[in-house]
Amino acid sequence: MTLRQFISSAAAAAAAACIAGLAHGAQPPADDGAAFRELYKELVEINTTRSVGSCTRAAEAMRARLAAAGIPASDMHIFAPPDRPNDGALVALLHGRERQLKPILLLAHIDVVEARREDWERDPFKLVEENGWFYARGASDDKAMAAVFTDSLIRYAREGFKPRRDIKLALTCGEETPDQFNSVAWLIDTQPAVLDAEFALNEGAGGELDANGKPVALQIQAGEKVYQDFALTASDVGGHSSRPTHDNPIVRVSAGIAKLGAYNFPVALNEATRGYFQAESKLVPAQTAADMQAVLADPHDEEAVDRLWGINPGWNSMLRTTCTATEISGGHAPNALPQHVQANVNCRILPGVPIASVQEEIVKVLADPKIAVAPTGDPGFQSPPPPLDARITGPVHTVAARIWPGVAIVPTMATGATDGRFLNAHGVPTYGLSGMFHDAEGAHAHGLNERIRVVSLMNGRRFLYEIVKIYAEQPPGAR
C-alpha cells in the first residue's frame, strides 16, 4: 500500500467510524483533568520496581478507583502467580451492548525500571511538575498510558457509555524484567482467554515535535522486531602465555566479532516500514528525503541506507535485521592462554525472518568452525506485523485532525521489544498508539530524570479517550 492509499483508505472509513462513535451514550460532562492528575500521581508514586516495589499494590489502587466509578467487583480481577504475590496484573471490563463481539484491549505495564535517589535530581518516586514537565520514574514509561487507560474507563462508566464492544483494561507487570517474570506471557500461557481481544492498543509509538515544539508526526506502530541472543563460544587446551598458539580463543572470537560488526544483513521493507519512510520523506530536509526515496526504490541504494544510518541509527534498525556484540568473557589468568571465551551477540530480527536462518547467517559470516554459535534464553516470538487497514488508521486520522490539525500520520515498526510481541504471537493484533508527543531528546525512559510534557500527557489523554470510543463502536468485520 502506498502512503496515498494509506491516507485515502483511512479517511474513507474515518467519517463513518466517527459518526458511529458519537451515536451512543450521553455527551461527556465538562472535565478539567483534576481527577486524572490525582490518579496519575497516585500510580506514579507507588514504587513498582522489581527490587522493592509492588505491582499488586498499584493494581489494587487502580481497582479501587474503578470500583468508585461503578465498575462491579465481578468485572475486575488481579492475577498473580501464588509464588509472586507482588507481581499482580489488573484486568477490568466495561461491558458493551453486543456481548458476542470480541473486546478492545487496552494494555499498559505498571512495572518500572530501577531508579536510585542519589542519581536523580529529584526523588524518582515523587511526581514533580516543573516548567511544563512531569518528572518521575514511570512518568512516561509506561504509567502515562496506564493512568490514561484507567481514567478513560472511569469516565466511560460515569458517563453511562455503553459501547458496541466490551472494553478490556489490562495493567500488567514484568515488561521491564521479562527474564524474571512477565504477566502477559504468564497469562497467555496459563489463562489465554483473559487477554483475548479483537485487537489491542499498547505502548510503542508516540508523536514527534519539531525544534519549536510543534507536533509534526503522529506514529502508529504495527509489529516489532524479534529479540534473540546468541552465544559465540571458542575453547582450547590453554597453556603458558609465553607459548602462544594459533588457536587463542580470545583472538578467534574477536576476529569473528569484527567480521560480524562489518556485516550488514539485507534491507527488507514491510508495510509499516515502507509507510514510515514514505511519510517521513515529506518531513525531513531534501537530501535526507532523497535518500529515503532511494531506500524505497527497487533495487534500493545501499549508500543512501548508510547515510541514513549516520543520521539516525534507528532508521537502519528499521530496514534490516541487526546483530551486535554486547558482552564478552573469557580467560582465567593474566599469564595463561585462555581455555574458554564466550561473547553474547544480541540480534533484533525483522518480523517473518526465522531465527534459525539468522543463526545460519552468523555462522557463515564468522567462517570459523571453531566458534560455536547457539541461541540463548527463551526463543524470540515470531509473528507477522498486524495489518494497518482502515479500521485501525481511519479513527487515527479523524481524532488527530481534531487535536493536531495538519499533523502527519506515520506508520512505524518497533525496533525494541514490548509486550505486544506476546499478544501478536497469540493472535491478538497489537498496535502501539499513544498520542503522546516528545522532542528529539525524548522521555529519558530507563534513564535519569524521566519526564513527559504536561501538554503531551493531557493531549494524549484526550486522544486515547476519543479514539477508544470509536474503536469500541466499530461493527464486526469493519475494515
Side-chain angles (χ1 to χ4, degrees), residues 36 39-40 43-44 62 105-110 138-153 169-172 200-206 219 221 418 430-436 438 450 452 456-457 460-461 463-465 467-468:
F36 166 70
L39 182 156
Y40 176 61
L43 182 59
V44 167
M62 295 302 99
L105 176 62
L106 311 181
L107 176 69
H109 68 87
I110 51 177
S140 177
D141 183 17
D142 185 30
K143 289 182 176 178
M145 285 191 72
V148 166
F149 282 153
T150 306
D151 171 73
S152 293
L153 215 63
L169 169 70
L171 305 181
T172 59
L201 301 183
N202 183 34
E203 63 174 340
Q219 296 181 348
Q221 176 249 329
T418 75
T430 303
Y431 301 91
L433 185 65
S434 72
M436 298 178 192
H438 295 279
E450 184 177 343
I452 188 170
S456 292
L457 177 62
R461 176 186 181 236
F463 175 77
L464 290 171
Y465 166 84
I467 203 166
V468 169

Side-chain angles (χ1 to χ4, degrees), residues 230-233 253 257 325-329 341-345:
F230 292 94
L232 276 53
T233 307
V253 170
I257 289 174
T326 54
E327 294 178 310
I328 189 167
S329 62
V341 174
Q342 180 168 299
N344 186 80
V345 169

Side-chain angles (χ1 to χ4, degrees), residues 352-378:
V353 176
I355 293 172
S357 71
V358 174
Q359 182 178 349
E360 292 169 2
E361 193 70 11
I362 293 172
V363 170
K364 181 180 176 181
V365 171
L366 298 179
D368 187 339
K370 291 190 176 182
I371 302 177
V373 179
T376 63
D378 294 331

Side-chain angles (χ1 to χ4, degrees), residues 236-250 330-341:
D236 190 50
V237 295
H240 202 284
S241 61
S242 66
R243 296 167 57 84
T245 71
H246 290 297
D247 292 321
N248 185 314
I250 289 178
H332 58 285
N335 59 350
L337 298 176
Q339 298 169 0
H340 182 82
V341 174

Side-chain angles (χ1 to χ4, degrees), residues 221-227 268-273 317-322 348-355 357-358 381-386 412-416 421 424:
Q221 176 249 329
E224 54 191 68
K225 297 178 87 173
V226 177
Y227 180 109
L269 294 162
N270 57 40
E271 180 187 17
T273 54
S317 295
M318 291 179 69
L319 289 168
R320 53 164 55 107
T321 291
T322 60
R348 305 299 177 116
I349 302 169
L350 288 174
V353 176
I355 293 172
S357 71
V358 174
F381 283 81
Q382 288 279 9
S383 59
T412 189
M413 178 190 70
T415 58
R421 68 191 187 277
N424 277 315

Side-chain angles (χ1 to χ4, degrees), residues 259-349:
K259 291 179 185 176
L260 191 60
Y263 176 74
N264 290 326
F265 284 79
V267 168
L269 294 162
N270 57 40
E271 180 187 17
T273 54
R274 184 172 292 279
Y276 174 85
F277 285 104
Q278 285 172 335
E280 281 288 318
S281 68
K282 295 175 172 57
L283 305 173
V284 295
Q287 180 57 58
T288 304
D291 285 340
M292 288 183 172
Q293 290 298 323
V295 166
L296 293 168
D298 185 17
H300 70 273
D301 183 339
E302 194 65 36
E303 292 183 358
V305 175
D306 197 60
R307 287 191 293 270
L308 293 177
W309 188 353
I311 297 171
N312 184 344
W315 288 342
N316 176 68
S317 295
M318 291 179 69
L319 289 168
R320 53 164 55 107
T321 291
T322 60
C323 292
T324 187
T326 54
E327 294 178 310
I328 189 167
S329 62
H332 58 285
N335 59 350
L337 298 176
Q339 298 169 0
H340 182 82
V341 174
Q342 180 168 299
N344 186 80
V345 169
N346 177 245
C347 294
R348 305 299 177 116
I349 302 169

